[in-house]
Amino acid sequence: MPPKHVAIVTCSTRIPRLNPTITQYVHDVLASDPTIPIRKTSNETPDTDSRHITLSILDLAAQSLPLYDESVIPASLPPADPTPHYSKEHTRAWSKVVRQYDAFIFVTPQYNWSIPASLKNALDYLFFEWKGKPAGIVSYGSRGGGKGAEQLRGVLNGLRMRVVGTSVGLPVKYTGLPVGVLSEVEEKVEIDARDLEGWKEAGLEGMMRNLGMELVCELDKA
């Protein structure tokens, strides 16, 4: 069997945003952990070890989903192949994307003690594409985004996902966003070195690796 595919999801869609940088940070922490069985790529010898995983970044901003407008109820569709039964082309496209992955790590900011509307919107479009798949949560905010993570856990449980026990909250104390940005071209926002050092000292990178291993263990059960 081929390796399992894990999507690390960028959940905010505003400009400017820190989310893509945080998502890349999460990816890099997990990819650098030798205990997590990342797929070894080779053109001559394809990796077919089902214990291995791939890590990919999935940005909700790239999906261009409108405010939820699907006319069918996702939970009423055929579980094995819901994709062709949606009424909207953008829903069918989103369904195909999500079905490519076996597990998800949602990297989300906290907005007013909750999650971004863009994330809730993307989740609500589908059901069986999420159901039964392992999920992890990494939140961030001035105090780590714990209340947003708690709300997200409830939503993912409602979608019947298998949410792992460890969640990681990254306090953002020093990193700021550009003020008064008018350009529609997104510029990368760098994480302040003081925040990075604080996360390391607090053991949050270790917690992130624990989250990754819990996700791998859940995939092994599938």
Side-chain angles (χ1 to χ4, degrees), residues 147-170:
K147 292 185 181 296
E150 182 181 352
Q151 289 214 352
L152 178 56
R153 182 178 291 272
V155 173
L156 300 182
N157 284 333
L159 290 167
R160 307 297 188 268
M161 299 191 80
R162 292 150 48 202
V163 187
V164 300
T166 298
S167 63
V168 182
L170 302 172

Side-chain angles (χ1 to χ4, degrees), residues 82-117:
T83 305
H85 301 278
Y86 290 106
S87 65
K88 308 290 186 179
E89 177 55 37
H90 52 259
T91 315
R92 293 191 289 271
W94 177 227
S95 174
K96 289 178 183 177
V97 169
V98 173
R99 289 180 69 188
Q100 295 175 34
Y101 297 102
D102 303 289
F104 300 85
I105 298 173
F106 296 95
V107 182
T108 181
Q110 177 175 291
Y111 288 177
N112 301 310
W113 290 17
S114 187
I115 57 176

Side-chain angles (χ1 to χ4, degrees), residues 29 34 40 63 109 112 116 130 147 155 164 184 189 197 207 212 216:
V29 169
K40 308 299 187 296
Q63 309 308 314
N112 301 310
W130 305 118
K147 292 185 181 296
V155 173
V164 300
E184 292 299 317
V189 179
E197 188 60 30
M207 289 180 62
V216 169

Side-chain angles (χ1 to χ4, degrees), residues 10 12-23 108-111 116 140-142 172-183 185-192 194-195 199:
T10 300
S12 170
T13 58
R14 68 190 291 265
I15 295 177
R17 56 183 178 155
L18 178 57
N19 210 161
T21 306
I22 299 279
T23 304
T108 181
Q110 177 175 291
Y111 288 177
Y140 65 93
S142 60
V172 179
K173 299 180 179 180
Y174 301 103
T175 305
L177 294 175
V179 178
V181 174
L182 300 177
S183 173
V185 178
E186 184 168 17
E187 296 183 11
K188 182 179 180 181
V189 179
E190 299 291 345
I191 303 172
D192 191 292
R194 292 170 291 179
D195 280 329
W199 299 344

Side-chain angles (χ1 to χ4, degrees), residues 51-92:
R51 296 170 299 177
H52 290 171
I53 66 169
T54 67
L55 295 174
S56 302
I57 291 176
L58 175 59
D59 191 343
L60 293 186
Q63 309 308 314
S64 301
L65 289 169
L67 190 63
Y68 184 70
D69 64 351
E70 181 57 51
S71 63
V72 302
I73 299 174
S76 69
L77 301 181
D81 186 16
T83 305
H85 301 278
Y86 290 106
S87 65
K88 308 290 186 179
E89 177 55 37
H90 52 259
T91 315
R92 293 191 289 271

